[in-house]
Amino acid sequence: MCRGILIAGWKVSGSRSMRKIRKYLRGMLAGVIVMFGIAGCQSDVLSREIVFTTGLTASEIFKIGGLACTVSEARLLLVNVKNQYEEAFGKEIWEQNIEGKPFQAYVKDMVKNQLAQLKCMVLFANEEKIALTEEEEKLLREAAIAYCGSLDEKEKEVLQITEEDVWELYKSLAVSGKLYDMLTQEVEEEISDAEAKVIVVWHIFKDCKESTDQERAEKKKELSDIRERLLTQGADFASLAEEHSDDAKLEYAFGRDEMEQSFETAAFALETGEISDIVETMDGYHLIKCVRDYDEEKTARNKTELLKRRKQEAFDKEYAVFIKGLLSEFNEGAWEDITFDQFEGIDNKNLYEVYEEYWETGEKE
């Protein structure tokens, strides 16, 4: 029924816990660049145009267009990802599999793609003559000093990073943010209430995915009888849903293009308090009650999300053209040599917090 079941094209098997983990994965890995609003854009340049050469040093993971990603940068991002996951789900998270591979390998691939995207954006920014001011570079140098100052001696030894490493990463984040702002500045920011409108409904669902024609007819008749009781006897919708619905979830809040079309059309046609006719979707039959035909708070949030989506689409269009034809070199051995076991006992998680603190403060001044 809901188009949002798959997140970023990932297909993860059934359990509620893995769906929660998958959602967290999207949000946290996007944290590499989320502070300047471009989470979601994907770079596949490493998988698309990989050239294995001897041009990489032992300290380099890959090069794209001649711009290198160092082992230090990769370790810095990976340890932060590892610690955030363990804080949210415990160390047993690494015993899980996703997309048919160990969770650690899956997370490493995602981080590698985010790093590749970041490097591509720096190259793009260079081409567009986008640069940081001396004041901005100084500010980010202070941020790098602050981050490295938060590490104890064991953390410094294990991570093998310097203030210069952190400074270079922070500069990449900042210049990429400027690129994103430039490429999306023409996006229309006015979104109407009608376009962003979010409604809240309850439903009673009869699952027909594996039903025979006779069983489908019986389930449809059951919903028709329930609808009659609701309309003529004033029966309680929530109570009937608890007793008869094949969906444990009663309430859904959504905007346009989030649900299967037949469900959405029927739901948006209702006014508050109204009950639909029987609605057929790919999964079965639904009886829908409109709880709120306009949720002001959720609509306001949806406007923000729609604007982000528009900006993302505008950025992706330009970005896709830029990365087309970019060649890369990948040091598979150096990448495989990095394992999460190496970071045992390292619990520092404030890489992005420090960046945001200094960069946002500088932008306000």
Side-chain angles (χ1 to χ4, degrees):
M1 179 185 69
C2 177
R3 294 183 179 179
I5 293 300
L6 293 183
I7 299 177
W10 306 347
K11 190 176 182 181
V12 183
S13 59
S15 77
R16 186 174 299 176
S17 61
M18 284 307 293
R19 288 198 298 272
K20 180 180 178 183
I21 290 167
R22 181 182 61 187
K23 182 177 180 181
Y24 189 80
L25 177 67
R26 177 183 65 170
M28 190 184 61
L29 289 180
V32 176
I33 49 177
V34 75
M35 65 284 294
F36 47 78
I38 59 173
C41 177
Q42 293 295 316
S43 172
D44 63 350
V45 66
L46 285 178
S47 61
R48 192 168 42 77
E49 296 283 359
I50 302 177
V51 179
F52 293 94
T53 75
T54 58
L56 295 174
T57 69
S59 65
E60 295 172 336
I61 294 293
F62 61 78
K63 281 184 179 178
I64 299 176
L67 185 62
C69 172
T70 67
V71 172
S72 295
E73 287 177 297
R75 291 169 65 86
L76 192 56
L77 266 61
L78 284 166
V79 74
N80 274 263
V81 168
K82 171 183 180 291
N83 289 332
Q84 289 180 59
Y85 260 100
E86 291 182 359
E87 182 179 43
F89 298 107
K91 293 186 178 182
E92 60 272 15
I93 182 63
W94 307 114
E95 300 171 8
Q96 303 291 332
N97 290 322
I98 185 169
E99 292 275 328
K101 64 174 68 174
F103 197 63
Q104 178 181 153
Y106 192 86
V107 170
K108 282 186 67 179
D109 283 348
M110 293 293 291
V111 170
K112 180 179 68 177
N113 288 338
Q114 294 286 4
L115 280 166
Q117 175 186 326
L118 188 61
K119 295 302 178 182
C120 288
M121 291 180 69
V122 172
L123 288 170
F124 199 172
N126 292 342
E127 183 176 277
E128 295 293 329
K129 303 294 191 288
I130 297 172
L132 302 176
T133 65
E134 289 186 9
E135 292 77 12
E136 289 170 335
E137 289 200 0
K138 180 181 178 182
L139 189 73
L140 294 174
R141 169 73 79 178
E142 293 172 0
I145 293 171
Y147 175 74
C148 290
S150 73
L151 303 175
D152 61 28
E153 291 305 315
K154 179 181 179 182
E155 290 170 333
K156 291 177 181 176
E157 179 182 354
V158 172
L159 292 178
Q160 300 174 18
I161 61 167
T162 65
E163 290 175 3
E164 197 75 18
D165 296 324
V166 181
W167 187 43
E168 289 300 324
L169 177 61
Y170 282 172
K171 286 192 296 183
S172 295
L173 292 173
V175 78
S176 297
K178 286 192 168 189
L179 171 72
Y180 180 81
D181 290 342
M182 186 201 76
L183 294 178
T184 61
Q185 62 186 353
E186 299 300 324
V187 173
E188 174 60 53
E189 298 199 8
E190 185 62 34
I191 297 175
S192 68
D193 285 350
E195 183 180 1
K197 179 181 176 181
V198 173
I199 63 174
V200 180
V201 304
W202 290 351
H203 84 143
I204 301 173
F205 170 58
K206 302 308 293 184
D207 189 345
C208 299
K209 289 192 294 293
E210 298 180 3
S211 299
T212 64
D213 289 345
Q214 181 178 346
E215 289 170 336
R216 290 179 66 89
E218 290 172 354
K219 290 178 179 181
K220 187 174 182 179
K221 175 66 166 56
E222 182 183 355
L223 274 187
S224 295
D225 292 342
I226 291 173
R227 184 174 187 275
E228 184 66 18
R229 290 174 61 186
L230 290 166
L231 296 178
T232 63
Q233 301 176 23
D236 181 66
F237 194 100
S239 298
L240 289 174
E242 184 176 1
E243 182 179 355
H244 297 281
S245 183
D246 292 332
D247 186 354
K249 185 174 180 180
L250 170 67
E251 183 172 291
Y252 286 86
F254 55 92
R256 297 285 186 184
D257 299 323
E258 293 182 32
M259 308 295 274
E260 190 173 327
Q261 190 59 56
S262 58
F263 189 96
E264 176 188 308
T265 299
F268 269 83
L270 299 173
E271 295 182 359
T272 299
E274 289 185 333
I275 295 172
S276 71
D277 291 327
I278 308 303
V279 178
E280 184 176 3
T281 65
M282 291 185 294
D283 293 334
Y285 295 110
H286 306 257
L287 196 58
I288 306 169
K289 178 177 180 178
C290 181
V291 179
R292 286 190 297 280
D293 57 19
Y294 176 79
D295 189 300
E296 185 175 358
E297 182 179 342
K298 290 184 174 63
T299 296
R301 288 202 297 268
N302 195 36
K303 283 185 179 183
T304 300
E305 292 303 313
L306 287 174
L307 179 58
K308 287 181 181 178
R309 194 181 309 164
R310 284 183 181 178
K311 288 191 172 186
Q312 188 65 58
E313 289 169 354
F315 176 84
D316 287 348
K317 184 178 180 180
E318 299 290 336
Y319 177 79
V321 172
F322 174 77
I323 68 170
K324 189 175 182 180
L326 279 180
L327 297 180
S328 63
E329 306 166 78
F330 183 58
N331 189 342
E332 188 170 7
W335 181 248
E336 294 300 324
D337 284 344
I338 303 176
T339 66
F340 285 175
D341 291 341
Q342 298 167 3
F343 306 137
E344 194 64 34
I346 306 301
D347 60 3
N348 193 286
K349 298 178 288 293
N350 68 349
L351 177 68
Y352 309 123
E353 293 172 5
V354 173
Y355 171 85
E356 288 181 294
E357 178 186 347
Y358 278 79
W359 187 246
E360 289 182 2
T361 299
E363 287 185 319
K364 292 175 182 177
E365 292 178 351

